[in-house]
Amino acid sequence: MTSAGRRGLVVRLSLDRGDPLDVTLEAFDKAKLGVGDALAPKRMRQLLDLDADVRVRDAALNLLSYRAQTRRELERKLRARGHDADRIEVCLDRLQNRGLLDDAAVSAAFVRDRLRHRPRGRQALRAELRGKGVDANTAEHVVMDVFQDEGVTDRALAEEVAERWVTRQGSAVLAALLAQRSDPDHARAQRRLRGYLGRRGFRGEDLRAGVARAEALAAERSR
């Protein structure tokens, strides 16, 4: 008998011994089995191998249908679902050869989305891509290319991030930011701002430019 479920069409095989066996119809067809055929051990292993291949591929395609993912992200999720590591690698190679897995394209889309909605400096963006399993060389080139295409710099982004930070602060924090350097509240406000910028990948001159922009905007708001 056959039945359709979340994972597609499956065939339930009634065996002479043991419980019935559910396999994908695709695997059943590839094994060239028919009703009443004997399932010798060798043929059973072939059927189960085919079924496992179909299931890992379908699981991968299902995950990709929700959003584009890096190869490493997809591998982690498939492993978490209990699929065999070697079988996953073969599946991912096939998907990559078909153009369904492209770390560079996924990374570029991710960086562009970050720049538009949650700006980060180059360092933070490279780190995020590395966390997604993107190799260092690809991460470096993707960030460089997207920054060039978008016409942005770390300094401009640091100033933008600092501006957003200022708009979310209350009057007390902004007043502290403009207070005398000897004022403890000033030191706390500076630490908060610098920490915020630092966690978003800004360092050195770029971070200082962000702080200067925040102070200038705070001064404008206090007038």
Side-chain angles (χ1 to χ4, degrees):
M1 64 176 288
T2 63
S3 63
R6 285 192 309 122
R7 296 181 180 178
L9 201 62
V10 299
V11 178
R12 173 159 291 180
L13 305 180
S14 297
L15 307 176
D16 290 338
R17 296 180 181 177
D19 296 330
L21 175 66
D22 288 342
V23 297
T24 58
L25 179 59
E26 183 177 343
F28 183 81
D29 288 340
K30 286 181 176 180
K32 301 188 184 322
L33 290 169
V35 177
D37 286 352
L39 270 179
K42 182 177 179 180
R43 207 165 190 195
M44 174 68 85
R45 287 195 298 272
Q46 178 193 32
L47 175 61
L48 294 178
D49 279 343
L50 289 168
D51 184 63
D53 286 340
V54 171
R55 289 179 187 273
V56 71
R57 183 207 62 200
D58 287 351
L61 292 174
N62 182 59
L63 288 166
L64 288 172
S65 71
Y66 289 101
R67 70 171 180 84
Q69 301 181 55
T70 67
R71 180 179 177 123
R72 181 61 176 146
E73 285 180 311
L74 195 53
E75 178 192 352
R76 288 169 180 162
K77 291 177 181 179
L78 291 172
R79 280 176 177 259
R81 284 160 173 73
H83 295 286
D84 175 75
D86 291 339
R87 204 176 300 279
I88 289 171
E89 287 302 312
V90 172
C91 171
L92 297 184
D93 285 342
R94 289 171 177 165
L95 293 177
Q96 193 165 323
N97 290 336
R98 290 169 58 190
L100 297 176
L101 275 180
D102 186 337
D103 278 6
V106 172
S107 298
F110 174 82
V111 172
R112 292 182 195 280
D113 183 74
R114 275 285 190 259
L115 293 180
R116 289 180 174 85
H117 304 293
R118 298 174 62 186
R120 299 285 193 276
R122 292 172 188 254
Q123 179 178 334
L125 290 168
R126 287 194 296 266
E128 286 192 278
L129 291 178
R130 296 289 287 131
K132 290 177 170 291
V134 179
D135 68 85
N137 187 59
T138 298
E140 174 68 32
H141 281 88
V142 165
V143 171
M144 179 176 64
D145 290 345
V146 172
F147 269 54
Q148 184 175 348
D149 290 345
E150 297 291 327
V152 297
T153 63
D154 270 353
R155 176 167 182 158
L157 288 171
E159 292 177 344
E160 178 185 343
V161 170
E163 289 175 4
R164 295 187 182 193
W165 183 86
V166 168
T167 62
R168 293 194 295 270
Q169 305 309 308
S171 57
V173 173
L174 298 184
L177 195 63
L178 300 174
Q180 295 294 323
R181 292 183 180 276
S182 58
D183 189 326
D185 288 341
H186 173 77
R188 281 192 291 271
Q190 281 282 328
R191 283 196 299 271
R192 286 178 59 181
L193 173 56
R194 289 174 179 273
Y196 185 82
L197 292 169
R199 289 190 297 275
R200 281 149 185 78
F202 301 110
R203 301 287 185 271
E205 290 297 324
D206 300 317
L207 188 149
R208 286 189 283 274
V211 171
R213 178 59 188 142
E215 291 174 339
L217 185 57
E220 291 176 12
R221 287 172 169 259
S222 66
R223 292 172 187 166

